[in-house]
Amino acid sequence: MSTKSKVLNILESKRGKAVSGQDLAEQMGISRTAINKAVKALRKEGFPIMASPRRGYTLSDQSDVLSIPAIRTHLSPETDRIPIELFRSVTSTNDKARELATFGPAIPARAVVLANEQTAGRGRLGRSFYSPADTGIYMSFLIKSEFDITHAGLITTAAATAVVAAIKKLTGMDAEIKWVNDVFFNGKKICGILTEAVSDFESGQIQYLVVGIGINCSTKRFPKELAGTGGSLTEENEPFFRNALVAEVINHFIPLTYHLEEREFLPYYREHSMVIGKKITVYRGGLDSNSEGQLATAEGIDDNGGLMVRYGDGTKETLATGEISIRLEK
């Protein structure tokens, strides 16, 4: 661990309280000059660290800069050892996770890749996902495929459940799930989920699933095409908000991945569905396709996460993930 990371670990553990430069130097066995250099580097990265000649260094308790030490303070005993990689900017966390799984060192059964910004974030069916710096959470889980891969669609359902449960625990706010991979709050999309597979080149077998989750926390300005549909959890940054929410998503999602086929999360998913009982239009090939769409009623979620629908002529179908999208009718 670098000197900078060690200093941040200590300041995070004393967040809002002063730690003298001498105490930092003695704890780490290095010079005061090295401590000062590390603090300057952390400030360049955006960490609000105040300095007082008599009191020492203080990391503001209002800091919302993503950091692994801050995230780990909120992890549960079941998840506190999970490997986490944090980047300031990436094309997409799914890309970085796939890269680590394919070319990196040995990856454990569960790992997290996190970024403060995505320059080419993406969602289902090739759509882009707006991912500005400092206002959102962009994270991907690497999940070793230890379960029946025919049930892999459940992983997206579990991820959506984890996001809604994490938001509820941290903020008390009730979000809703639009089948299969979007989370809405106050009628606007605040989260998208994209699940992809990493296959072994020689065998062709799936080695890992990459589950990407993007959450708009305090994003205020959206591109023109998202101005009417994109929303955020809050209009202002809140102390600990992003780090705590990252941790809560991890806390809720990781345990589900070890017991995926038990489907214990499905009742919660159904309870928070915003489509069950509603009129919808089903588009094959996605909303951007030339598909005319079929009017239907969403009747429920089956045990594999599929959406059970009934069309106007009385025929029924269970929709699976893939090249299918739905739109709620008003």
Side-chain angles (χ1 to χ4, degrees):
M1 184 182 294
S2 67
T3 298
K4 183 178 67 174
S5 295
K6 291 178 181 178
V7 170
L8 181 58
N9 274 339
I10 295 173
L11 294 180
E12 283 282 9
S13 68
K14 302 289 186 180
R15 182 184 278 242
K17 299 178 181 178
V19 183
S20 73
Q22 186 61 39
D23 285 344
L24 287 169
E26 290 177 357
Q27 288 185 56
M28 297 172 57
I30 58 177
S31 68
R32 292 282 298 274
T33 301
I35 296 296
N36 186 54
K37 182 179 178 181
V39 170
K40 286 183 178 179
L42 289 169
R43 284 173 173 162
K44 285 184 178 180
E45 293 182 9
F47 289 93
I49 300 173
M50 298 166 284
S52 170
R54 296 183 179 181
R55 301 181 65 235
Y57 300 105
T58 305
L59 176 63
S60 170
D61 59 6
Q62 304 295 306
S63 174
D64 192 41
V65 180
L66 290 172
S67 79
I68 294 175
I71 292 167
R72 291 203 181 280
T73 62
H74 299 282
L75 291 178
S76 67
E78 189 173 0
T79 62
D80 63 0
R81 292 175 180 248
I82 189 169
I84 303 173
E85 295 279 349
L86 173 61
F87 301 90
R88 295 186 69 181
S89 181
V90 296
T91 53
S92 82
T93 55
N94 269 28
D95 287 346
K96 182 59 71 172
R98 292 171 65 91
E99 178 184 318
L100 291 173
T102 306
F103 304 109
I107 302 294
R110 306 290 186 274
V112 177
V113 175
L114 182 70
N116 188 54
E117 176 189 34
Q118 294 183 127
T119 59
R122 64 181 186 277
R124 288 181 66 235
L125 307 178
R127 300 188 189 99
S128 63
F129 187 89
Y130 184 54
S131 315
D134 304 325
T135 66
I137 290 171
Y138 318 114
M139 61 192 301
S140 293
F141 290 84
L142 267 173
I143 310 294
K144 194 170 183 63
S145 56
E146 303 163 325
F147 43 82
D148 184 349
I149 205 63
T150 62
H151 300 319
L154 287 171
I155 202 78
T156 304
T157 309
T161 302
V163 170
V164 171
I167 291 171
K168 178 67 173 180
K169 180 174 180 180
L170 192 63
T171 69
M173 298 188 295
D174 288 308
E176 297 179 294
I177 303 167
K178 177 177 176 283
W179 185 87
V180 59
N181 66 324
D182 293 334
V183 176
F184 277 63
F185 178 67
N186 283 343
K188 293 190 175 183
K189 179 178 173 179
I190 60 167
C191 170
I193 300 168
L194 176 65
T195 301
E196 299 177 309
V198 180
S199 301
D200 179 79
F201 180 77
E202 294 183 354
S203 68
Q205 294 183 336
I206 294 176
Q207 291 185 309
Y208 289 91
L209 290 175
V210 179
V211 184
I213 299 175
I215 305 174
N216 302 329
C217 296
S218 59
T219 310
K220 296 180 182 180
R221 297 180 180 178
F222 291 91
K224 184 178 181 180
E225 64 270 19
L226 299 176
T229 58
S232 297
L233 282 172
T234 176
E235 294 184 355
E236 301 292 339
N237 286 350
E238 297 180 3
F240 304 99
F241 185 78
R242 287 196 300 163
N243 289 305
L245 185 53
V246 168
E248 287 302 332
V249 172
I250 295 172
N251 288 341
H252 283 84
F253 183 50
I254 290 299
L256 295 180
T257 67
Y258 285 109
H259 308 284
L260 192 67
E261 294 177 349
E262 296 178 14
R263 298 169 169 81
E264 293 182 355
F265 53 87
L266 280 177
Y268 192 93
Y269 184 95
R270 292 172 179 134
E271 179 185 346
H272 289 82
S273 170
M274 65 185 294
V275 303
I276 293 178
K278 302 290 182 63
K279 298 292 184 181
I280 63 172
T281 301
V282 178
Y283 294 90
R284 303 180 190 279
L287 296 175
D288 301 326
S289 70
N290 294 322
S291 170
E292 183 176 332
Q294 293 175 274
L295 289 173
T297 299
E299 296 194 323
I301 305 293
D302 78 357
D303 286 345
N304 289 318
L307 181 64
M308 299 182 290
V309 301
R310 176 172 46 82
Y311 298 104
D313 62 2
T315 60
K316 296 183 179 182
E317 182 183 14
T318 297
L319 306 177
T321 59
E323 301 297 309
I324 294 178
S325 295
I326 65 169
R327 173 177 287 153
L328 277 166
E329 297 300 321
K330 296 181 180 180

